[in-house]
Amino acid sequence: MLDRHRLEAAKRIIEPRLSPDEKLIWVGRPDPEKFFTEVVRACLLQLALAALLVPVFLFVIFRFSVIEGTVTPITLFAGGVIGFFLISAPWRYPERVSQTVYAVTDRRALVHEGVGWSLLWLDALPNLYNPLCSFDARQIRARRRIARYQGRVDLLFGGEGHNYFTGRGQIRDWVQIGFLGLTDVDEVDVLLEKHFANLDVETASQSLR
């Protein structure tokens, strides 16, 4: 459960994004501890890539530097590698997750500043393109409940396509969106079932206009 301070902060973030006559039923945030596996996976992947690629690039750049009589290329390469790790920073994933807000209103479910789940694992913690994802009653009723690993169950409402560029073209990944990493996922699942099992989609959609 969220402490009072974090709960009030989440409400202040989500309430301005609701329609004037829309009622907030529940608000919450993911538990950063539920994303520990993503942190470990990202760190291991980056270490594996570094172990494979860095020696090769260092060898090539070192030989080029010797031939040209300058250390500038190897200095730039080292700076680029360090910058990459600082920007990607898997150890900062919990901080990123803590910015996410989940909400349930009388008409829809919302994910604000959320992160997704990459089906191809091309990104351990992909940011969503849409800063405010909204899901209507039909999508909520069609939600999927997926057990990721021991102690974590996600409720999924939809997804978005992400393109990753490679040397031979681009790969399209499907990033799942929903309530990821909740501590009280069972209670929220029951809440969604209670409020949206018989809600008319067209009526709810019209009231949001």
Side-chain angles (χ1 to χ4, degrees):
M1 297 294 291
L2 291 178
D3 59 58
R4 192 179 196 86
H5 175 72
R6 294 191 70 210
L7 181 60
E8 291 301 321
K11 286 182 178 179
R12 287 195 297 271
I13 290 172
I14 210 69
E15 284 177 341
R17 291 159 176 80
L18 305 181
S19 298
D21 57 344
E22 190 173 6
K23 180 183 177 182
L24 184 63
I25 298 174
W26 172 88
V27 65
R29 291 181 185 270
D31 180 1
E33 294 184 1
K34 298 286 186 181
F35 293 81
F36 176 76
T37 297
E38 279 89 334
V39 176
V40 173
R41 189 173 69 195
C43 289
L44 291 177
L45 177 60
Q46 291 190 8
L47 288 174
L49 289 174
L52 288 173
L53 299 179
V54 170
V56 175
F57 281 103
L58 280 177
F59 175 76
V60 173
I61 293 174
F62 178 75
R63 293 200 57 173
F64 177 79
S65 298
V66 171
I67 294 173
E68 296 295 325
T70 177
V71 296
T72 301
I74 197 168
T75 302
L76 292 175
F77 175 74
V81 171
I82 294 173
F84 169 76
F85 281 102
L86 290 178
I87 292 173
S88 58
W91 54 88
R92 295 178 58 189
Y93 283 0
E95 181 182 339
R96 285 172 56 190
V97 170
S98 66
Q99 306 301 313
T100 298
V101 177
Y102 301 142
V104 177
T105 74
D106 56 343
R107 300 166 192 171
R108 53 181 174 160
L110 298 168
V111 177
H112 179 263
E113 297 293 344
V115 295
W117 178 278
S118 167
L119 288 183
L120 298 181
W121 284 19
L122 297 176
D123 190 340
L125 197 69
N127 287 318
L128 303 181
Y129 295 146
N130 190 348
L132 183 65
C133 299
S134 176
F135 304 95
D136 62 26
R138 184 183 295 109
Q139 293 170 298
I140 294 172
R141 285 197 291 268
R143 68 190 179 279
R144 297 169 59 198
R145 182 184 172 104
I146 296 184
R148 298 298 186 190
Y149 35 79
Q150 185 65 35
R152 175 173 162 184
V153 175
D154 293 340
L155 300 177
L156 304 179
F157 306 124
E160 61 183 25
H162 286 204
N163 294 322
Y164 295 89
F165 294 92
T166 68
R168 297 185 176 182
Q170 75 179 21
I171 299 175
R172 188 162 181 81
D173 186 17
W174 185 250
V175 175
Q176 297 175 333
I177 306 173
F179 291 171
L180 279 58
L182 280 177
T183 301
D184 52 348
V185 62
D186 293 330
E187 291 85 346
V188 175
D189 200 13
V190 171
L191 178 71
L192 293 172
E193 186 64 28
K194 175 183 177 182
H195 286 277
F196 293 95
N198 301 306
L199 182 65
D200 183 73
V201 178
E202 292 187 4
T203 301
S205 298
Q206 290 174 359
S207 62
L208 289 172
R209 295 173 185 172

